[in-house]
Amino acid sequence: MTPHQLESLQATAIAGIAGILIAGTALAHLARRVRQPAVIGEITAGILLGPSLLGLLPGDLTHRLFPDDVRPLLSMVAQLGLLLFMFTVGWELDWASMRRRKSSVAAVTAGSILTPLILGMGVAALLYHNHSVVDGEKVPMTSFTLYLGVSMSITAFPVLARILKDNGISRTAVGALALTSAAFGDVLAWCLLAAVVAVVTASGPTGFTDTLWMSAGYGAAMIVVVRPLLARAVTRMVRRGSGVHLATLVTAGLLLSAYTTSKIGIHPIFGAFAFGLVMPRKPHVLLEERMLRPLQHAGELMLPVYFIVTGLSVDIADMSPTAWGELALILCAAMCGKLLGGGLPARSFGLSWRESTGVGVLMNTRGLTELIILGVGLNLGVLDQTLFTEMVLMALITTAMTGPLLPHLFPHRLGLVASRHTASVVRMPEPAEQATDLAG
């Protein structure tokens, strides 16, 4: 490639990213106006700019905006945004909140993970004969069923947190239980996914054993070595007043962690997530100001590119009647798994049927986290284009349905939120009070 061609390629990528940011911002604003999280608009923008809509118009506009040569550059930007996002998810997990609600959180987490996992594996067994070959390669049935089961069991903790905050129910008993269970479930789901990825990528039983041992060694090193070193480094930087460089050093650290997990044989996102888990939380205010916010802002700029890269692999127009039938089956298993797996354990801890249903509906939120898992499956060759499209639509539908259902499940609470500017502020129970209520 000549320097002129490279320069032209870079210019096309820059123009494409500009279009991505404009489309993502516009549809995110529209999503908020109809009581949907911004991620719904951004995912929709990615689908619309792909072959599902823009690609149907004359002139092959999708390939003009995002030619094949440019897509690796877009994927690199998307990957950086994704790693920053995964780090912030790991850092923002509230371990103290999890410990306060051990029994109820454990029950809801286990139910909301295991039930859709089992149902998802059952659906995978039914769909396997239609999707067993990807790019000419036979997909092992074990890898296929495990991957589909894990992808069904996920709850998008960051998206759920935003929905709860926007609707003013994050500090209710239902909201606290759902959010804490989703946070703990995220950790469990990522561990399950790491194991499944190791199974998919390992070359036989020996390769899987090697990956397992290296992963265990990596985890031990992160806890025993990296975590204390990070605590010392943060303390020293704070004392010297050099916290301004904190975000830069943390970014380098999470990228090295991502590189390590990639070399081990599991996806780089696990390295970024693990680095967020072991990163110190104190002094919280300074870390939030000097580290978290800069990384969040950088991720917000780059992450919309991930939606476009995902949308380029989603082709709704190419779905057959059989594919729509498969989507209906996937939706049924996904929704029933979360409603039953999350709602019934919540009911056993004293919540009303309406509140328990609310927990199940909230745990049914998948959003961006689901897209990340599906993207990994597509890159590994476990999912073909058709099944990938079906699963993306499932993630979009299950996330979008949460907002419209909440007013019917919590009419009194949402009515208070809507009238916040014209009525007195109603005190919501503190998390400690909620834990007491649930334990009782």
Side-chain angles (χ1 to χ4, degrees):
M1 182 179 295
T2 65
H4 177 71
Q5 289 174 324
L6 180 59
E7 185 177 341
S8 176
L9 197 65
Q10 291 173 342
T12 303
I14 291 171
I17 292 173
I20 289 169
L21 295 177
I22 292 171
T25 301
L27 288 188
H29 177 71
L30 181 61
R32 291 191 187 98
R33 291 182 64 88
V34 294
R35 297 179 60 85
Q36 292 291 341
V39 68
I40 291 293
E42 293 171 329
I43 295 172
T44 304
I47 294 175
L48 295 181
L49 289 176
S52 298
L53 179 64
L54 196 63
L56 298 177
L57 300 178
D60 199 9
L61 296 178
T62 295
H63 278 87
R64 284 180 178 272
L65 286 174
F66 313 109
D68 293 337
D69 292 340
V70 167
R71 295 186 187 189
L73 298 178
L74 296 179
S75 296
M76 188 66 247
V77 175
Q79 186 77 351
L80 287 173
L82 191 57
L83 294 178
L84 292 174
F85 171 78
M86 290 303 301
F87 168 80
T88 60
V89 170
W91 192 79
E92 289 185 314
L93 286 179
D94 187 357
W95 295 104
S97 179
M98 293 182 193
R99 289 192 293 267
R100 283 196 298 266
R101 307 177 180 89
K102 291 180 181 178
S103 300
S104 57
V105 167
V108 173
T109 300
S112 62
I113 291 286
L114 292 177
T115 307
L117 176 69
I118 294 170
L119 290 177
M121 292 178 68
V123 169
L126 295 175
L127 302 183
Y128 178 70
H129 67 283
N130 289 339
H131 305 279
S132 59
V133 178
V134 179
D135 296 330
E137 297 288 335
K138 185 80 170 180
V139 181
M141 186 171 184
T142 300
S143 301
F144 183 81
T145 53
L146 284 174
Y147 207 96
L148 215 63
V150 171
S151 65
M152 291 268 200
S153 65
I154 198 70
T155 295
F157 166 70
V159 177
L160 177 59
R162 185 67 188 183
I163 291 174
L164 291 171
K165 182 179 179 180
D166 288 346
N167 288 279
I169 55 176
S170 57
R171 301 183 68 187
T172 64
V174 173
L177 176 59
L179 187 60
T180 310
S181 299
F184 193 79
D186 254 14
V187 178
L188 182 58
W190 290 120
C191 292
L192 288 173
L193 182 62
V196 173
V197 170
V199 170
V200 173
T201 57
S203 54
T206 304
F208 175 71
T209 303
D210 291 342
T211 301
L212 194 62
W213 281 113
M214 286 189 291
S215 300
Y218 162 80
M222 292 294 287
I223 296 172
V224 177
V225 179
V226 176
R227 187 174 184 177
L229 289 176
L230 285 173
R232 292 178 186 176
V234 169
T235 301
R236 186 172 300 176
M237 293 183 75
V238 171
R239 286 176 180 174
R240 293 181 177 180
S242 56
V244 67
H245 303 297
L246 193 57
T248 303
L249 293 177
V250 169
T251 301
L254 72 91
L255 291 177
L256 288 173
S257 180
Y259 170 79
T260 302
T261 55
S262 177
K263 299 301 288 185
I264 288 174
I266 53 180
H267 201 275
I269 58 175
F270 300 111
F273 181 70
F275 199 79
L277 289 177
V278 301
M279 184 70 195
R281 270 69 171 173
K282 295 180 181 179
H284 190 86
V285 175
L286 185 140
L287 287 173
E288 187 172 8
E289 178 185 349
R290 299 288 178 87
M291 178 200 72
L292 183 65
R293 289 178 186 172
L295 296 187
Q296 281 181 331
H297 293 159
E300 287 171 0
L301 284 174
M302 290 185 283
L303 203 55
V305 181
Y306 182 80
F307 299 124
I308 301 302
V309 173
T310 302
L312 294 175
S313 300
V314 174
D315 192 355
I316 300 175
D318 197 42
M319 288 181 63
S320 64
T322 301
W324 286 107
E326 290 177 349
L327 174 59
L329 182 62
I330 290 170
L331 277 170
C332 182
M335 291 187 291
C336 290
K338 289 295 185 181
L339 288 172
L340 296 176
L344 293 180
R347 173 62 179 165
S348 69
F349 278 87
L351 296 184
S352 67
W353 279 113
R354 177 177 292 215
E355 292 171 325
S356 302
T357 303
V359 171
V361 168
L362 291 169
M363 297 300 288
N364 197 38
T365 304
R366 288 177 173 86
L368 173 58
T369 310
E370 180 75 13
L371 290 191
I372 296 171
I373 291 180
L374 296 178
V376 173
L378 184 67
N379 292 334
L380 291 176
V382 180
L383 306 177
D384 60 21
Q385 297 288 339
T386 301
L387 186 56
F388 177 77
T389 297
E390 295 169 12
M391 294 296 290
V392 169
L393 290 176
M394 179 273 290
L396 193 63
I397 293 170
T398 54
T399 305
M401 66 188 292
T402 303
L405 287 175
L406 290 181
H408 301 285
L409 295 169
F410 309 104
H412 178 62
R413 174 65 63 186
L414 296 186
L416 289 175
V417 173
S419 59
R420 182 173 294 169
H421 297 291
T422 57
S424 60
V425 177
V426 178
R427 178 185 178 272
M428 296 182 184
E430 295 294 330
E433 297 173 4
Q434 299 158 8
T436 304
D437 293 340
L438 292 172

